[in-house]
Amino acid sequence: AADFEHLNSTAMHLPLHHSRGPCSPVSVPSDLPFSAVLTHDDARIASLAARLAKAPSSSSARPAVTVASLYRANDDVDGVAASLASVPLTPGTSYGVGNYVTRMGLGTPAKPYVMVVDTGSSLTWLQCSPCRVSCHRQSGPVFDPKTSSSYAAVSCSTPQCNDLSTATLNPAACSSSDVCIYQASYGDSSFSVGYLSKDTVSFGSNSVPNFYYGCGQDNEGLFGRSAGLMGLARNKLSLLYQLAPTLGYSFSYCLPSSSSSGYLSIGSYNPGQYSYTPMVSSTLDDSLYFIKLSGMTVAGKPLAISSSEYSSLPTIIDSGTVITRLPTTVYDALSKAVAGAMKGTKRADAYSILDTCFVGQASSLRVPAVSMAFSGGAALKLSAQNLLVDVDSSTTCLAFAPARSAAIIGNTQQQTFSVVYDVKSNRIGFAAGGCR
């Protein structure tokens, strides 16, 4: 119970940790270079672009997974037969080390599991015993369906099995025992394959029965030491939509820096503390959260570009992208303005995809006030740690890069702000000072 906090009876309030933070329940190697974070971040960007283009991403495509070969054992799990179908997988998104984690309870009796929180993903899944093919190392024991009295496998004839194609962007498969098989694949070639299941999900003393999720039997790739992934996108199978009848169609979070603590709250919130921007409808991908960037200022001065440049690409807000991507014209103007305002600071060489770098650390440099404005009047007034990211012990870089096919507001710029996703009212709100 100490792992959870409760706002009131109509919301669930959970601690949220940066995967590389000191209080994180999952460990990331201390010697991991920041270039690895950027590599995985770029894979996520490529796969998001592929989703918007409705096409596979060549940089992250992987051979078709022969599901039949993953389950050769003759024994069944709760009656699930081992002979399965073979279907191709398409890339989704990347889950590297720049993510945020919380704990979710599952089963009866409930046991806690560390989950990556992601607004760009729909299906929630976690590793399940007996891990027929492969389970990555995780913090704590793997979930065993046999220990839960409320566990049930889901048949292929259910609407939820049919909904997997939109939730995972991959077709469902079916076992010879009529159990639905999900396949979730991600931009860096990570993937999870297993049985669609239902069980009681809980957060502290609050529980919801008949929660649909993936019970992973082959889970390979860059998920850190988390048990799995918590999907908060706009989809019938996401955690948000499944809990909405009980808690309402909204969630909020504060993404902590590596030195602060944050939260994830599902359900009601205090509407008076936020400034809002409307969610923008898009035919590109109706599960993602689109908003409209309307302007940026550096040291109080608007960037020297036409206002139409800000909306030259669709804009997504995403908890799993580390570095914000801007339309190229906007990025070039921002880079020039920030470099001009910091002309007294020694420049450093470019670092990976980051080309505006300085000698020093973000916390010790004098940086200009930078603000990002959105339609409707919402704004993010960025601190030095929202504007710059330390890439090693002696170098800090502008935490922005040019966009490909979509602009993306990433988690570095969102850190320490309270952000609410009010799906019912079709709006996203920002409030400063959300993390402790």
Side-chain angles (χ1 to χ4, degrees), residues 245-331:
T246 303
L247 298 173
Y249 285 90
S250 65
F251 68 94
S252 58
Y253 58 61
C254 182
L255 304 179
S257 66
S258 58
S259 60
S260 62
S261 60
Y263 70 87
L264 168 67
S265 182
I266 303 171
S268 63
Y269 66 98
N270 176 11
Q273 72 182 92
Y274 295 92
S275 60
Y276 297 94
T277 185
M279 292 183 188
V280 176
S281 60
S282 175
T283 58
L284 296 174
D285 188 320
D286 57 10
S287 69
L288 298 174
Y289 296 97
F290 290 85
I291 55 178
K292 183 179 180 181
L293 180 66
S294 59
M296 293 189 72
T297 61
V298 175
K301 297 179 180 179
L303 297 183
I305 55 174
S306 167
S307 59
S308 63
E309 295 292 343
Y310 292 102
S311 55
S312 60
L313 293 175
T315 300
I316 300 162
I317 182 169
D318 180 43
S319 68
T321 296
V322 178
I323 302 298
T324 286
R325 267 60 170 191
L326 297 172
T328 300
T329 302
V330 179
Y331 171 75

Side-chain angles (χ1 to χ4, degrees), residues 127-306:
Q127 303 195 113
C128 284
S129 177
C131 297
R132 286 192 181 279
V133 179
S134 177
C135 279
H136 58 263
R137 285 187 63 198
Q138 73 173 56
S139 176
V142 172
F143 175 67
D144 185 353
K146 293 180 179 178
T147 65
S148 173
S149 63
S150 49
Y151 174 85
V154 176
S155 75
C156 302
S157 59
T158 59
Q160 289 79 14
C161 187
N162 187 59
D163 291 338
L164 280 175
S165 60
T166 58
T168 65
L169 307 181
N170 290 304
C174 192
S175 78
S176 60
S177 294
D178 191 41
V179 173
C180 185
I181 299 157
Y182 78 91
Q183 302 163 90
S185 51
Y186 304 101
D188 55 9
S189 296
S190 301
F191 64 90
S192 174
V193 179
Y195 305 116
L196 185 63
S197 306
K198 66 177 179 179
D199 208 332
T200 296
V201 66
S202 58
F203 301 93
S205 60
N206 297 3
S207 62
V208 177
N210 299 318
F211 174 69
Y212 291 85
Y213 67 98
C215 200
Q217 298 295 323
D218 188 14
N219 317 284
E220 301 181 40
L222 299 164
F223 302 109
R225 293 190 65 191
S226 67
L229 186 143
M230 180 188 293
L232 290 171
R234 304 174 73 173
N235 180 274
K236 292 177 184 178
L237 286 181
S238 76
L239 180 77
L240 170 65
Y241 276 56
Q242 291 194 62
L243 298 188
T246 303
L247 298 173
Y249 285 90
S250 65
F251 68 94
S252 58
Y253 58 61
C254 182
L255 304 179
S257 66
S258 58
S259 60
S260 62
S261 60
Y263 70 87
L264 168 67
S265 182
I266 303 171
S268 63
Y269 66 98
N270 176 11
Q273 72 182 92
Y274 295 92
S275 60
Y276 297 94
T277 185
M279 292 183 188
V280 176
S281 60
S282 175
T283 58
L284 296 174
D285 188 320
D286 57 10
S287 69
L288 298 174
Y289 296 97
F290 290 85
I291 55 178
K292 183 179 180 181
L293 180 66
S294 59
M296 293 189 72
T297 61
V298 175
K301 297 179 180 179
L303 297 183
I305 55 174
S306 167

